[in-house]
Amino acid sequence: MSQTFIEILRRALDEELARDASVHLLGEDVAAGGAFGVTRGLAQKHGEQRVRNTPISEAAITGVATGAALCGLRPVLEIMFIDFATLALDCLVNQSAKYRYMSGGQLAVPMVVRTQAGAAGGAAAQHSQSLEAWFIHVPGLVVVAPSSPVEAYGLLKSAIRLGDPVLFIEHKRLYTMREDMPENPELPPIGKARIAREGKDVTLIAYSAMVNIALEAADELARAGISAEVLDLRTLLPLDMRTIAASVAKTHRVVIAHEAVQNGGVGAEIAARIGSELFDELDAPVTRVACPFVPIPFAPELERALLPGRDDIVRAARGLVHGQGH
Amino acid sequence: MSQTFIEILRRALDEELARDASVHLLGEDVAAGGAFGVTRGLAQKHGEQRVRNTPISEAAITGVATGAALCGLRPVLEIMFIDFATLALDCLVNQSAKYRYMSGGQLAVPMVVRTQAGAAGGAAAQHSQSLEAWFIHVPGLVVVAPSSPVEAYGLLKSAIRLGDPVLFIEHKRLYTMREDMPENPELPPIGKARIAREGKDVTLIAYSAMVNIALEAADELARAGISAEVLDLRTLLPLDMRTIAASVAKTHRVVIAHEAVQNGGVGAEIAARIGSELFDELDAPVTRVACPFVPIPFAPELERALLPGRDDIVRAARGLVHGQGH
Amino acid sequence: MHTLQTPPATPSINDLLQMYRALWRIRVFEGQVQRLAAAGEVPGFPHLSTGQEAVAVGVCAHLSPQDTLFTSHRGHGHVLAKGADIEATFAEILGRETGVCRGRGGSMHLVDAAHGVLGATGVVGGNLPLAAGAAWAAQARGEKHISVVFFGDGATGAGVFHETVNLAVLWKLPVLFVCENNGYAEFTSREEHSNVKHVSAFAAPYDLTAQTIDGNDVLAVYAAAGAAIAQLRRGDGPYLLECMTYRMAGHFVGDAQHYRSKEELAAVREKDPIERLKRHLLAQGVAQSELDSLGEQAKEEVQAAVERARVAPHPDPRTVGEYVYSAPSLAHVP
Amino acid sequence: MHTLQTPPATPSINDLLQMYRALWRIRVFEGQVQRLAAAGEVPGFPHLSTGQEAVAVGVCAHLSPQDTLFTSHRGHGHVLAKGADIEATFAEILGRETGVCRGRGGSMHLVDAAHGVLGATGVVGGNLPLAAGAAWAAQARGEKHISVVFFGDGATGAGVFHETVNLAVLWKLPVLFVCENNGYAEFTSREEHSNVKHVSAFAAPYDLTAQTIDGNDVLAVYAAAGAAIAQLRRGDGPYLLECMTYRMAGHFVGDAQHYRSKEELAAVREKDPIERLKRHLLAQGVAQSELDSLGEQAKEEVQAAVERARVAPHPDPRTVGEYVYSAPSLAHVP
Ligand SMILES: Cc1ncc(C[n+]2csc(CCOP(=O)(O)OP(=O)(O)O)c2C)c(N)n1
Ligand SMILES: Cc1ncc(C[n+]2csc(CCOP(=O)(O)OP(=O)(O)O)c2C)c(N)n1
Ligand SMILES: [Mg+2]
Ligand SMILES: [Mg+2]
């Protein structure tokens, strides 16, 4: 029977807590189930010492998680909105990410920072951002952004077991998505992209909630006789260029889609690498579909007008295949 | 008689303090001259009310500057190292950058955040970063990175007078650079790049301290019979694509150089835009010269090994012109 | 913790009747937000101030339009008490073009510059240094007006609260810190957030004047705020006013409140600030009928405004890119 | 501010002689850093602890290698007092392959995991929550060892100090907060940084046990730290120890110190912790000659280590990319 993203994430956390005594959860209201209910019941089951509420102190709790990780705990920290990660960046960037390097390999920070991102339903400018691009610019960090409940299940477990500081980004629109859990789900390796749909005319590269939109676009394109391959990056840092290269070698056309604003987004890095590493493979310019350079507005019709959608991807892909747009 | 970057910056601040009573300076030790001496003597001349020392409270002082700007002051805040801007990001990103938008145009934040960045002489992992890429991903911000004392003079004045929150990035290696102040220096407009050297075979795009290195590379290339055009971006957000396009239309080959790590850097955005907007102009893949994906090490020989230099740019440019590299 | 220097201001019966009506205005306004949110007409997740109205009304009674106000995610009441137009405020919460922020801001980012409402923040604690900055601007210009910031007890967990208090004391800024201590941060009680029972206790190390009062007693709030603001206007530096209060609604509209018992919620209703002012006014000889009609007037005033807001135009999607930069030349970023 | 519960531990003469030597070790070490920095042999901008040695020695005398230590930008003394190898520490400050961090960290990022030195931070205040986290790990595992963090008075301006104290008290973490209050943050005096004279005053609102002592009196530090650490090991929660001290050197090597008068600097020398312990030991009947030879031994021990460090190999540039990730597969990012 199918379960929601939230329920499947909870199962992954529950199983990791049971599997490894060094795994601990912390964050604001997590013992009360968390703002979105992901950790509901876990404090009761594993004890308030393993699932700890914290004050509203993003800087300190990220530091506490990092210090505990240095001593061998495997903390899973919840930062309620990625917009609040702005308060944790000194620790994440100056400490967590650099500890292994600055100590010459003496110490490591096996920690996962779960956070929630993206725009939906008028959460407005300070609760809707997609800031993953900042984190792919920081050596030492790993960035994971699952596209579905089952993907999230495996990726979260892999992240907890990894041994590096991982930013694990959950899109708020995915929380209600349902899937059936397979019997024995495999744990996708960190750093490996996934071909979500095979195709031969154009490659659609996406991650997080945008993967589902890309799949819808692929359906639409199929009706127009265009065969689109959809890549789900899963890990944004490090980037799986091998899988991307194989697809581009087949399609020779690329659309990169993400919800974050285009300027300085993850799509820029992907486009730049394709442009330099796969220059001769390209029949058309790499096209990015992303959010215009505007904060997320509150009013739903403005929010809708701003967010990139299925039709934007379809238009971009058609443009490439039919040689428009350049 | 020539003056250093620091002396010329001081002059710009001195003149703006004298010109406009709403201009105020604040930051750690600024009344004592600041950690690098940029504000030396200004508190004595303009009063401790105009040039204020603050506690070590990056979050609060950025908020105080923002709140004052909302009420019509023009604060110039010094964040001693860009590495510490990690502590100010909630305010800069969630408040300063979005205020005009979230208020529907009722309010503005005319503020300049001066900060110092880059690697030199073993400042090590937490005092050497180049994090400008984060800020070009934030709608509402303006990002300026001068390449010389005289450039800094005009750009800082333009930034103070602009009316938007500006991140003004000073590279520590430039502080000792000397130039003669022209009689009546013009104030370069924000958002306009500068052709630092004309050329026809390849375009070298750089900013901040990397411009001087690109110019050295251009000299070296000239000896090899390659005519390199060097663009000094000056403003990273917004990007002056018009000037870039004009140059690429002439050279058809591009090397982008910056000190920040390549992955997710400003060069990614520039390369992506050239790749899509100027696809047909390119005779060769856009090449990036940047820092490998490693924190800045303490030991000088490691730091030197890591930082991109003149020879890296020369090699990249030769590769493009002589058709290697793709 | 210091006590008041100046004698508490005593409001006239007429002042109190004004406040009674102001309390009802907020109560009805929040009720309408709740009703329409439940009906799916309100975007986002609004946070109601129901039960905490006395703090907003008692403090803002002392403020002029030039005095600046910053609030939090729970700011509807503060904004109304400061004088913002009811229709434009509600329209903003509905995301309409006629809203104070033309629908760009929403419930958590209310700005009404004309009435000195300079902002609200959705990031807990983020409003505190902004308010100190506004106070600095007034101080720098030698102006006499002050800055007020409303925040919750949970915000004291945020480092920026302490950074801001330190700076405000050091610079003697005319900023009034008003903490609404409602005993909870989201679903977690104060005890689980901090060992510090009273937020005013944080003032002592700084020699910051502070007081803890019953925030559900509008008379107490009025008196304490009056004295505090008098100190600020004298240029004697900042003041921390902790108002003990209760949130009668959930953390946000839709909060099931599993973390609070029926008994606790019932007890909360006992402390209803409107009921308490009503009892006081009746004891002062004001007629029940007069109070009822004041309540009725507030109700009609708000409901009429709400209905106008509900039929107000939505923003034009083509204008989504406006207001990002000061000049169009800067805004051409794809 | 609370006072001690348990009677101060009294060190034996032999303990004191050990400490005397330990003080000299740091003093000579810092002198060598200064000398070689002036000669251009030291990369970066080292911060010396000269004059503040008694805090490091008096506290670390109570620590085992399992106890974890975090320090700041001014951490050479703490690291040595905790037992780190002198040569490997100096080699790190010189950026050599034989350094504790193989030259990757440097003066501001000393780590010696084998001796429980888990880190130093160049970002003021950043070390505090890490220390609390290490304490949490010990508590979570039911281990008895504790975590100690050294920081300066300026760090109390940083919000994360207050966030960390709140959390440490709430969770009853076995972390000892040791503040070296040397009256300055860079070039700015404490008075200009805060209205709060004594850092220990921040403890009261939290009911955190705290004490302010003379940090230049190693006996006082030893006694206070002993009592504090006993409390921590009993599981009675955190402790804040404020040590009043003076930095005899500049903020960093090269600081011209225009902000301090000749008189002030002279007065500082009066308070030299080494001189004070020396006077005490002489009064206890220890022979001048014995003390001189201890100083001499420390000097020779350190100088020999320094000379070995100076001829140690530099890191191989080809290894610059090591230690970024746990697995090579993750490290292939251009
Ligand atoms: C920095 C930050 N962390 C977490 C949140 C999520 N959040 C929203 S309101 C809230 C509780 C705030 O409690 P309090 O300050 O007491 O205000 P109240 O809601 O009780 O009025 C939290 C944790 C946030 N908005 N900002
Ligand atoms: C967050 C941050 N802001 C500013 C600095 C620059 N800085 C380095 S040391 C220092 C002063 C620290 O004073 P204190 O904490 O008292 O330590 P002390 O130097 O006196 O030992 C400052 C401001 C920094 N390293 N980190
Ligand atoms: Mg509360
Ligand atoms: Mg100090």
Side-chain angles (χ1 to χ4, degrees):
Chain A
M1 176 274 210
S2 82
Q3 293 172 288
T4 66
F5 194 100
I6 286 174
E7 290 162 348
I8 290 180
L9 268 184
R10 187 185 305 136
R11 174 174 159 183
L13 291 170
D14 184 15
E15 291 172 1
E16 290 303 294
L17 281 161
R19 183 188 62 79
D20 179 353
S22 68
V23 174
H24 287 65
L25 273 47
L26 72 161
E28 291 151 24
D29 300 294
V30 293
F36 305 98
V38 173
T39 54
R40 188 166 298 143
L42 297 179
Q44 290 75 353
K45 180 169 177 186
H46 300 279
E48 299 245 342
Q49 294 306 311
R50 301 275 311 275
V51 182
R52 297 195 90 157
N53 276 345
T54 72
I56 306 171
S57 309
E58 279 74 9
I61 61 183
T62 306
V64 163
T66 300
L70 290 173
C71 297
L73 290 197
R74 289 189 176 256
V76 180
L77 169 68
E78 178 174 302
I79 297 286
M80 212 179 282
F81 287 76
I82 199 170
D83 313 73
F84 313 152
T86 49
L87 294 156
L89 275 186
D90 166 44
C91 182
L92 274 178
V93 172
N94 290 325
Q95 309 277 17
S96 319
K98 297 173 170 48
Y99 235 106
R100 183 186 297 272
Y101 193 79
M102 294 193 300
S103 68
Q106 290 177 81
L107 295 170
V109 180
M111 162 174 90
V112 174
V113 179
R114 287 182 45 241
T115 191
Q116 176 269 127
Q126 293 178 348
H127 290 73
S128 300
Q129 294 170 90
S130 296
L131 300 173
E132 56 276 8
W134 289 353
F135 300 90
I136 71 162
H137 196 46
V138 181
L141 293 183
V142 168
V143 181
V144 174
S147 62
S148 81
V150 174
E151 281 292 317
Y153 173 88
L155 288 167
L156 181 54
K157 288 192 161 202
S158 295
I160 289 171
R161 301 174 189 188
L162 186 63
D164 298 278
V166 180
L167 185 73
F168 189 86
I169 302 171
E170 304 160 10
H171 196 294
K172 50 172 77 60
R173 283 201 313 272
L174 291 177
Y175 274 163
T176 52
M177 178 179 178
R178 308 188 71 91
E179 268 185 334
D180 296 319
M181 265 317 272
E183 265 319 307
N184 5 28
E186 46 100 63
L187 305 190
I190 299 297
K192 198 94 200 55
R194 174 179 74 98
I195 299 174
R197 173 187 175 127
E198 300 243 357
K200 55 179 192 26
D201 300 332
V202 59
T203 300
L204 310 181
I205 300 176
Y207 56 89
S208 189
M210 195 55 85
V211 171
N212 302 320
I213 297 173
L215 288 168
E216 290 172 24
D219 291 339
E220 180 67 20
L221 288 164
R223 282 181 220 107
I226 297 174
S227 161
E229 177 147 301
V230 177
L231 298 190
D232 174 2
L233 291 177
R234 303 201 287 202
T235 303
L236 307 183
L237 174 63
L239 201 58
D240 180 3
M241 275 307 287
R242 201 183 276 108
T243 300
I244 291 171
S247 182
V248 175
K250 185 164 61 169
T251 64
H252 311 295
R253 300 182 189 83
V254 183
V255 174
I256 303 163
H258 58 57
E259 184 177 311
V261 293
Q262 174 173 303
N263 201 68
V266 170
E269 179 61 32
I270 301 168
R273 290 193 67 181
I274 293 174
S276 71
E277 297 171 29
L278 308 170
F279 187 72
D280 298 329
E281 292 285 0
L282 291 173
D283 291 349
V286 175
T287 305
R288 288 180 288 169
V289 171
C291 195
F293 205 59
V294 175
I296 302 294
F298 172 70
E301 39 286 300
L302 295 180
E303 183 190 277
R304 230 177 289 119
L306 203 61
L307 294 181
R310 187 196 69 163
D311 297 350
D312 302 296
I313 298 174
V314 168
R315 203 174 307 111
R318 283 169 161 265
L320 295 185
V321 173
H322 302 140
Q324 292 118 7
H326 85 280
Chain B
M1 177 271 210
S2 83
Q3 292 172 289
T4 66
F5 195 99
I6 286 174
E7 290 162 345
I8 290 179
L9 268 185
R10 187 184 305 136
R11 173 173 159 184
L13 291 170
D14 184 15
E15 290 171 0
E16 289 303 294
L17 282 161
R19 183 188 60 80
D20 179 351
S22 68
V23 173
H24 287 64
L25 273 46
L26 72 162
E28 291 151 22
D29 300 294
V30 292
F36 304 98
V38 173
T39 55
R40 186 166 301 141
L42 297 180
Q44 291 73 352
K45 178 168 176 186
H46 299 280
E48 299 245 341
Q49 291 309 308
R50 302 275 310 276
V51 182
R52 296 194 91 158
N53 276 345
T54 72
I56 306 171
S57 309
E58 279 74 10
I61 62 182
T62 306
V64 163
T66 300
L70 290 172
C71 297
L73 290 196
R74 291 190 174 254
V76 180
L77 169 67
E78 177 173 303
I79 297 286
M80 209 179 285
F81 287 77
I82 199 170
D83 313 71
F84 313 153
T86 49
L87 294 157
L89 275 185
D90 166 44
C91 182
L92 273 177
V93 171
N94 290 325
Q95 308 278 17
S96 319
K98 296 173 170 51
Y99 236 103
R100 184 187 296 273
Y101 193 78
M102 293 193 301
S103 68
Q106 291 177 80
L107 296 171
V109 180
M111 161 174 91
V112 174
V113 178
R114 287 183 46 242
T115 192
Q116 175 270 122
Q126 294 179 346
H127 290 74
S128 300
Q129 294 170 90
S130 295
L131 299 173
E132 56 276 8
W134 290 354
F135 300 90
I136 71 162
H137 196 46
V138 181
L141 294 184
V142 168
V143 181
V144 175
S147 61
S148 81
V150 173
E151 282 291 316
Y153 173 88
L155 287 167
L156 181 54
K157 289 192 160 202
S158 295
I160 290 171
R161 301 174 189 188
L162 186 63
D164 299 278
V166 180
L167 185 72
F168 190 86
I169 302 171
E170 305 160 8
H171 196 294
K172 50 172 77 61
R173 282 202 313 272
L174 292 177
Y175 275 164
T176 51
M177 178 179 176
R178 306 187 73 89
E179 269 185 336
D180 297 318
M181 269 309 279
E183 264 319 307
N184 7 28
E186 46 100 64
L187 305 190
I190 300 298
K192 198 95 199 50
R194 175 180 73 98
I195 298 175
R197 172 187 177 125
E198 300 244 358
K200 57 179 189 29
D201 299 331
V202 59
T203 301
L204 310 182
I205 301 176
Y207 57 89
S208 188
M210 196 55 85
V211 170
N212 303 322
I213 297 174
L215 287 168
E216 291 172 23
D219 291 338
E220 180 68 20
L221 288 164
R223 281 181 222 105
I226 297 174
S227 159
E229 176 146 303
V230 178
L231 299 190
D232 173 4
L233 291 176
R234 302 202 287 203
T235 303
L236 307 182
L237 174 63
L239 203 57
D240 180 3
M241 275 307 286
R242 198 181 280 110
T243 301
I244 291 171
S247 182
V248 175
K250 185 165 59 171
T251 65
H252 311 296
R253 299 181 189 83
V254 183
V255 174
I256 303 163
H258 58 57
E259 183 177 311
V261 293
Q262 175 173 305
N263 201 67
V266 170
E269 180 61 32
I270 301 168
R273 289 193 66 181
I274 293 173
S276 72
E277 296 171 28
L278 308 170
F279 186 73
D280 298 330
E281 294 285 359
L282 291 174
D283 291 348
V286 175
T287 305
R288 288 180 288 168
V289 171
C291 194
F293 205 58
V294 175
I296 302 294
F298 172 69
E301 40 285 298
L302 295 179
E303 183 189 276
R304 231 177 289 115
L306 203 62
L307 293 181
R310 187 197 68 164
D311 297 349
D312 302 295
I313 298 174
V314 168
R315 204 174 306 110
R318 284 168 160 271
L320 295 184
V321 173
H322 301 141
Q324 292 117 5
H326 85 283
Chain C
M1 212 183 318
H2 295 54
T3 49
L4 291 177
Q5 316 306 345
T6 49
T10 42
S12 68
I13 287 292
N14 193 44
D15 295 333
L16 291 175
L17 293 174
Q18 293 293 334
M19 289 193 246
Y20 185 76
R21 180 175 177 153
L23 291 170
W24 266 113
R25 226 184 250 125
I26 299 171
R27 179 67 56 90
V28 175
F29 186 97
E30 298 291 44
Q32 292 295 316
V33 174
Q34 173 130 44
R35 181 174 70 85
L36 296 179
E41 279 189 44
V42 183
F45 38 98
H47 304 79
L48 307 181
S49 63
T50 309
Q52 306 183 189
E53 302 92 344
V55 181
V57 170
V59 170
C60 293
H62 299 282
L63 302 179
S64 77
Q66 289 68 41
D67 294 318
T68 57
L69 181 149
F70 291 82
T71 179
S72 69
H73 56 285
R74 201 176 300 288
H76 303 166
H78 309 129
V79 171
L80 294 176
K82 187 65 162 60
D85 177 72
I86 300 173
E87 177 183 341
T89 304
F90 205 94
E92 185 59 35
I93 293 166
L94 291 177
R96 304 305 172 91
E97 183 65 25
T98 57
V100 281
C101 303
R102 301 192 57 198
R104 275 67 177 170
S107 164
M108 275 194 283
H109 307 295
L110 297 169
V111 171
D112 181 356
H115 292 91
V117 177
L118 293 201
T121 176
V123 185
V124 168
N127 51 353
L128 291 152
L130 300 184
W136 177 39
Q139 181 190 63
R141 295 216 197 79
E143 294 159 347
K144 269 277 143 280
H145 57 257
I146 64 156
S147 179
V148 179
V149 57
F150 293 88
F151 59 101
D153 50 300
T156 61
V160 72
F161 165 74
H162 304 270
E163 292 189 356
T164 303
V165 166
N166 183 46
L167 190 96
V169 170
L170 209 53
W171 290 14
K172 276 180 146 267
L173 297 176
V175 56
L176 176 61
F177 297 101
V178 183
C179 180
E180 293 183 353
N181 186 344
N182 61 11
Y184 284 92
E186 291 205 336
F187 324 133
T188 307
S189 69
R190 174 100 195 127
E191 296 64 47
E192 269 196 79
H193 266 276
S194 179
N195 206 38
V196 183
K197 188 162 189 295
H198 282 301
V199 168
S200 59
F202 289 117
Y206 299 94
D207 247 319
L208 167 65
T209 320
Q211 200 187 19
T212 297
I213 62 169
D214 179 349
N216 280 27
D217 176 355
V218 73
L219 288 148
V221 176
Y222 183 88
I229 289 168
Q231 167 183 318
L232 262 65
R233 297 207 195 274
R234 279 196 308 274
D236 296 345
Y239 196 109
L240 170 57
L241 186 63
E242 177 182 31
C243 304
M244 303 308 295
T245 183
Y246 306 88
R247 114 166 109 69
M248 292 170 76
H251 171 61
F252 57 91
V253 179
D255 175 4
Q257 301 192 66
H258 297 302
Y259 52 91
R260 295 205 287 192
S261 67
K262 297 256 160 309
E263 298 64 36
E264 182 176 345
L265 285 167
V268 164
R269 263 177 238 96
E270 278 304 298
K271 309 257 176 53
D272 182 342
I274 294 184
E275 284 308 311
R276 287 172 65 179
L277 179 56
K278 182 176 187 173
R279 277 184 238 121
H280 173 83
L281 287 166
L282 290 172
Q284 296 287 310
V286 177
Q288 171 82 50
S289 58
E290 184 174 1
L291 296 177
D292 293 346
S293 73
L294 277 174
E296 271 313 309
Q297 288 166 33
K299 194 166 178 183
E300 283 156 21
E301 177 188 15
V302 171
Q303 284 179 344
V306 167
E307 291 315 316
R308 289 194 301 275
R310 288 178 73 193
V311 297
H314 294 262
D316 177 350
R318 286 164 308 181
T319 65
V320 69
E322 292 175 7
Y323 311 125
V324 181
Y325 286 99
S326 59
S329 64
L330 299 169
H332 292 135
V333 180
Chain D
M1 212 184 315
H2 294 53
T3 49
L4 291 177
Q5 316 305 341
T6 48
T10 41
S12 68
I13 287 290
N14 194 41
D15 295 334
L16 291 176
L17 293 176
Q18 293 293 334
M19 289 194 244
Y20 184 76
R21 179 173 178 156
L23 291 171
W24 266 115
R25 228 186 248 121
I26 299 171
R27 179 68 55 92
V28 175
F29 187 97
E30 298 291 44
Q32 293 294 317
V33 174
Q34 173 130 40
R35 180 175 70 86
L36 296 178
E41 277 189 44
V42 182
F45 38 100
H47 304 80
L48 306 181
S49 63
T50 309
Q52 307 184 185
E53 302 92 345
V55 181
V57 170
V59 170
C60 293
H62 299 283
L63 302 179
S64 77
Q66 289 68 40
D67 294 318
T68 57
L69 181 149
F70 292 82
T71 178
S72 68
H73 56 285
R74 201 176 301 287
H76 303 165
H78 309 126
V79 171
L80 294 176
K82 187 67 163 62
D85 178 72
I86 299 172
E87 177 183 341
T89 304
F90 205 94
E92 185 59 35
I93 292 166
L94 291 177
R96 304 306 172 91
E97 184 64 26
T98 56
V100 281
C101 303
R102 301 194 55 195
R104 275 69 178 168
S107 163
M108 275 195 282
H109 307 296
L110 297 169
V111 171
D112 181 356
H115 293 90
V117 176
L118 293 200
T121 176
V123 185
V124 168
N127 51 353
L128 291 151
L130 300 183
W136 177 39
Q139 182 191 62
R141 296 217 195 78
E143 295 159 345
K144 269 276 145 279
H145 58 255
I146 65 157
S147 179
V148 179
V149 57
F150 293 88
F151 59 101
D153 50 299
T156 61
V160 72
F161 165 75
H162 305 270
E163 292 189 357
T164 303
V165 165
N166 184 48
L167 191 99
V169 170
L170 208 54
W171 290 13
K172 277 180 146 267
L173 297 176
V175 55
L176 176 62
F177 297 101
V178 183
C179 180
E180 294 183 351
N181 186 344
N182 60 11
Y184 284 91
E186 292 205 338
F187 323 132
T188 307
S189 69
R190 174 102 196 123
E191 296 63 49
E192 268 195 80
H193 266 275
S194 179
N195 206 38
V196 183
K197 188 162 192 299
H198 282 303
V199 169
S200 59
F202 289 117
Y206 299 94
D207 249 320
L208 167 65
T209 322
Q211 200 188 17
T212 297
I213 61 167
D214 179 348
N216 281 26
D217 176 355
V218 73
L219 288 149
V221 176
Y222 183 88
I229 289 167
Q231 166 182 321
L232 263 66
R233 298 206 195 274
R234 280 196 308 273
D236 295 348
Y239 195 109
L240 171 57
L241 185 63
E242 177 183 31
C243 304
M244 303 308 294
T245 183
Y246 305 86
R247 119 164 107 65
M248 291 169 78
H251 170 62
F252 56 91
V253 178
D255 176 4
Q257 301 193 67
H258 297 303
Y259 52 90
R260 295 206 286 193
S261 66
K262 299 255 160 309
E263 298 64 34
E264 183 176 343
L265 285 167
V268 164
R269 262 174 241 100
E270 277 304 298
K271 309 257 176 47
D272 183 339
I274 294 184
E275 284 307 311
R276 286 171 65 179
L277 179 57
K278 182 177 188 174
R279 276 184 238 121
H280 173 81
L281 286 167
L282 290 171
Q284 296 288 311
V286 178
Q288 171 82 49
S289 57
E290 183 172 2
L291 295 177
D292 293 347
S293 73
L294 277 174
E296 270 313 309
Q297 286 166 34
K299 193 166 179 179
E300 283 156 20
E301 177 188 15
V302 171
Q303 284 178 343
V306 167
E307 292 314 316
R308 289 195 301 276
R310 289 178 73 192
V311 297
H314 293 262
D316 177 351
R318 287 164 308 181
T319 65
V320 69
E322 291 176 6
Y323 312 124
V324 182
Y325 287 99
S326 60
S329 64
L330 299 169
H332 291 137
V333 180

